[in-house]
Amino acid sequence: MSLSEQLKTINIEKLSLEKKASGRLIRMVGLTLEAEGLVVKVGDRCMVERRDDSDIEAEVVGFDGSRIFLMPIEQVDGLQAGAKVSPLSGSDGVPVGFQLLGRVLDGIGRPLDGKGPLHAEQGSLQGETINPLHRDPIRTTLDVGLRSINALLTVGRGQRMGLFAGSGVGKSMLLGMMTRFTEADITVVGLIGERGREVKEFIDEILGEEGMARSVVIASPADDSPLMRLRAAMYCTSVAEYYRKQGKNVLLLMDSLTRYAQAQREIALAVGEPPATKGYPPSVFSKLPKLVERAGNGEAGGGSITAFYTVLSEGDDLQDPVADASRAILDGHIVLSRKLADEGHYPAIDIEASISRAMPQIVSPDWLRKAQMLRQLYAHYQENKDLVSVGAYQAGSDPTLDLALNRIPLIQQFLQQELNECAKIEDSLEQLKTILPDVPQPTSPEP
């Protein structure tokens, strides 16, 4: 074969590859785009042409034979049938690094604060898997600045906790207090699927200039596409992972894990995955542990990610599928009570329903005994509250209740805290000892 024929063959093959490299949009149903003529795999990114010659980014989320299903990241106004769809080369890199401190970004790392472009390293959305045998165990306590949590639901550095609450019971305010008071080198805040106005309020009123200087905020409000909300949750975890690699102790606050699950539900249903539990497809419950397991301690001698995920309980139902699945994979849960919030008891933490699974390993036996005793007294008082209020209880009938009635004013004062009040962990423990100074374990009378 002559040189000219060889060149002609090469050009034909190149043209054929170019034709395969791009496809055409053939259908749009709801949030899903369908294209043909593409040679791509799930997770690849593509650009779809719009009528005004601008492109929008979409991600491959599934396929059916030669048809490719894509989910757009941005608004789809201006798309039309036959639009060109071109795969993007390179990885799904996102900006990470110390240049992000003090910045507000969207779910793919674009600045929202008007402070100019980022010049940062590139990281992966997917993160790295850590061998569970190489993870540093949770050994040290973490001061979160809230008395009831510090003393009764003690959190360890590298622990992953859930904040379970319905709407309007002080969940965001509790997160804000943790943001200001927790001892951490860096704070990463993910505002996923919440109201857009809360982003600026959180930055201006809760973080402030001092808090923002050591924080990164990643925001994807409710009007973003489900793929953008999904990416935002993964992105803020990637940013926290980068700082952990640098040996930093990171506080990761994600509001909320439920919106992440709902975004995955929207995507899964759009590509035809059948619903399983109360409308949630199986992929939702496989995505949750993949995200949560990325937090925690790194390898021995490295940094840590202590994570708090808010979980919305629809109708205050703690058996909601997402709440139930989250409770199983987290290292503890803090339940906020609507009844306490209605009574003006803030923070509205239901200590009877809350637990920290790492607490027995990180506090002294005396500390643990006093915390359990206070919980017992509080629970016993709540159980007999109506009996006492109507005057039907006779003092001396129940030693445990007598002790609870004697201590309940101090206990209620201990459990409540002002919004701008910081309670250090040492002070919280001292107050706990003041309420229960070497009190013997009470015993209830035999029936």
Side-chain angles (χ1 to χ4, degrees):
M1 185 184 292
S2 65
L3 180 61
S4 60
E5 288 175 335
Q6 289 178 6
L7 290 173
K8 185 177 180 180
T9 303
I10 291 172
N11 288 333
I12 290 172
E13 289 176 352
K14 184 180 178 183
L15 182 61
S16 176
L17 286 172
E18 286 176 352
K19 285 182 179 178
K20 279 188 177 181
S22 62
R24 293 290 172 184
L25 189 64
I26 61 170
R27 193 180 179 205
M28 176 178 169
V29 180
L31 301 172
T32 312
L33 309 179
E34 295 182 17
E36 282 189 343
L38 288 168
V39 181
V40 289
K41 59 183 183 295
V42 173
D44 282 353
R45 299 176 301 147
C46 299
M47 297 303 291
V48 184
E49 280 187 349
R50 270 198 279 213
R51 194 165 44 202
D52 58 359
D53 293 332
S54 64
D55 297 339
I56 65 169
E57 185 178 335
E59 183 178 309
V60 179
V61 293
F63 57 85
D64 181 7
S66 61
R67 287 188 304 160
I68 304 298
F69 301 136
L70 303 112
M71 187 68 64
I73 290 179
E74 301 168 287
Q75 298 296 330
V76 294
D77 300 337
L79 286 183
Q80 58 186 5
K84 184 180 178 182
V85 182
S86 306
L88 283 174
S89 59
S91 64
D92 58 344
V94 286
V96 295
F98 291 99
Q99 296 85 349
L100 273 60
L101 291 175
R103 302 299 300 269
V104 183
L105 313 170
D106 69 4
I108 53 177
R110 296 177 302 194
L112 296 174
D113 50 16
K115 295 182 179 178
L118 289 170
H119 302 286
E121 301 176 39
Q122 292 292 300
S124 170
L125 274 178
Q126 304 302 325
E128 297 179 2
T129 302
I130 300 177
N131 187 323
L133 298 181
H134 296 168
R135 279 188 186 268
D136 205 17
I138 300 171
R139 292 195 181 97
T140 58
T141 59
L142 178 71
D143 190 349
V144 299
L146 281 98
R147 191 162 41 241
S148 53
I149 296 178
N150 278 342
L152 308 176
L153 304 167
T154 314
V155 177
R157 196 176 296 281
Q159 192 169 346
R160 298 158 303 189
M161 294 285 285
L163 293 177
F164 291 74
S167 57
V169 294
K171 164 178 53 68
S172 297
M173 301 310 295
L174 187 63
L175 274 185
M177 293 174 74
M178 288 182 183
T179 306
R180 292 195 303 272
F181 302 148
T182 300
E183 292 182 347
D185 299 324
I186 294 171
T187 302
V188 179
V189 181
L191 302 175
I192 314 299
E194 297 299 317
R195 293 181 291 272
R197 70 170 180 81
E198 290 185 340
V199 177
K200 186 168 178 57
E201 287 180 5
F202 192 91
I203 294 167
D204 293 344
E205 299 176 15
I206 295 177
L207 277 177
E209 288 187 15
E210 183 179 348
M212 193 63 203
R214 63 181 183 93
S215 302
V216 181
V217 177
I218 295 162
S220 181
D223 57 347
D224 274 354
S225 70
L227 185 59
M228 182 69 91
R229 282 177 267 142
L230 202 71
R231 283 193 169 195
M234 297 166 67
Y235 180 31
C236 62
T237 308
S238 296
V239 173
E241 285 175 321
Y242 172 85
Y243 296 131
R244 179 177 63 189
K245 275 188 178 179
Q246 313 307 313
K248 301 296 183 182
N249 293 315
V250 184
L251 175 65
L252 172 62
L253 303 174
M254 189 179 295
D255 186 14
S256 69
L257 193 62
T258 305
R259 303 302 186 202
Y260 169 81
Q262 290 174 346
Q264 174 59 25
R265 177 175 65 178
E266 291 178 45
I267 294 171
L269 293 176
V271 298
E273 186 179 349
T277 309
K278 291 189 178 180
Y280 285 95
S283 62
V284 172
F285 303 105
S286 66
K287 286 270 189 183
L288 284 173
K290 286 181 181 178
L291 181 72
V292 170
E293 282 296 320
R294 293 170 60 182
N297 284 332
E299 297 186 0
S304 66
I305 300 174
T306 307
F308 287 88
Y309 301 94
T310 65
V311 182
L312 300 176
S313 306
E314 295 183 6
D316 296 327
D317 178 16
L318 293 180
Q319 306 309 315
D320 173 81
V322 174
D324 195 43
S326 302
R327 192 165 49 244
I329 59 177
L330 293 169
D331 301 324
H333 49 272
I334 298 170
V335 179
L336 302 186
S337 164
R338 186 172 300 279
K339 183 175 180 294
L340 290 175
D342 291 342
E343 293 173 356
H345 182 292
Y346 286 102
I349 297 174
D350 185 349
I351 60 168
E352 297 176 71
S354 306
I355 190 170
S356 169
R357 293 176 180 168
M359 184 176 178
Q361 285 77 45
I362 58 176
V363 302
S364 67
D366 182 60
W367 182 345
L368 185 62
R369 184 176 66 86
K370 280 185 164 51
Q372 289 173 339
M373 190 181 300
L374 189 145
R375 291 164 67 104
Q376 290 173 8
L377 294 177
Y378 184 78
H380 206 60
Y381 169 76
Q382 292 295 334
E383 185 180 346
N384 295 278
K385 185 177 180 181
D386 293 339
L387 192 68
V388 174
S389 64
V390 298
Y393 175 70
Q394 185 177 358
S397 304
D398 185 345
T400 303
L401 185 55
D402 290 339
L403 182 58
L405 290 172
N406 179 263
R407 304 290 177 176
I408 198 63
L410 293 174
I411 292 174
Q412 290 178 333
Q413 184 180 358
F414 178 81
L415 295 177
Q416 297 182 60
Q417 190 170 329
E418 294 293 332
L419 185 63
N420 295 314
E421 177 189 356
C422 176
K424 293 294 184 183
I425 197 165
E426 299 84 3
D427 299 333
S428 303
L429 181 56
E430 285 303 315
Q431 290 185 49
L432 178 62
K433 290 178 179 177
T434 302
I435 297 173
L436 302 170
D438 299 322
V439 176
Q441 184 77 19
T443 56
S444 298
E446 294 184 4

